[in-house]
Amino acid sequence: EAVRQEALALKVAPPELLADRGLILEAVRRNWEALQWAPEEFRSDKEVLLSAVAQSWCALRWASPEMRADPEVLLAAVRQDWRGAQLVAAHE
């Protein structure tokens, strides 16, 4: 319940909660910064990444390399803030 209330509670969440995709997705939807404490498998999850990047292009710093190169994720970052274009240029 704490993670549902405060997304940053992922930082201290027990491993069994960190395995729950729905919980991770909800936490990231509430606060993109929760992505930094999400397990690696969710940093490669396109839906999770798109939810985070829609709030801040800076979420790409915690994305997996595959997601940092994904055209849809990069486009979402640019739409959120033009500075995300720096990352697009870096992958061309």
Side-chain angles (χ1 to χ4, degrees):
E1 185 61 32
V3 174
R4 293 188 195 283
Q5 297 296 321
E6 177 53 59
L8 298 181
L10 283 183
K11 185 176 182 178
V12 295
E16 60 272 10
L17 287 181
L18 292 175
D20 183 337
R21 181 184 183 275
L23 190 73
I24 299 297
L25 184 57
E26 184 175 337
V28 170
R29 284 180 176 157
R30 289 178 181 266
N31 185 332
W32 68 271
E33 291 181 293
L35 186 61
Q36 68 185 299
W37 296 293
E40 191 64 38
E41 67 189 272
F42 299 114
R43 295 176 186 206
S44 297
D45 185 306
K46 188 181 272 191
E47 185 178 6
V48 172
L49 256 294
L50 288 173
S51 294
V53 171
Q55 297 170 59
S56 175
W57 68 276
C58 294
L60 288 174
R61 92 177 64 143
W62 293 299
S64 69
E66 300 83 35
M67 287 293 102
R68 276 189 241 129
D70 184 278
E72 187 178 354
V73 173
L74 290 173
L75 181 58
V78 171
R79 284 184 175 149
Q80 196 282 322
D81 189 304
W82 66 269
R83 291 174 290 185
Q86 297 168 7
L87 292 169
V88 173
H91 289 287
E92 291 185 332

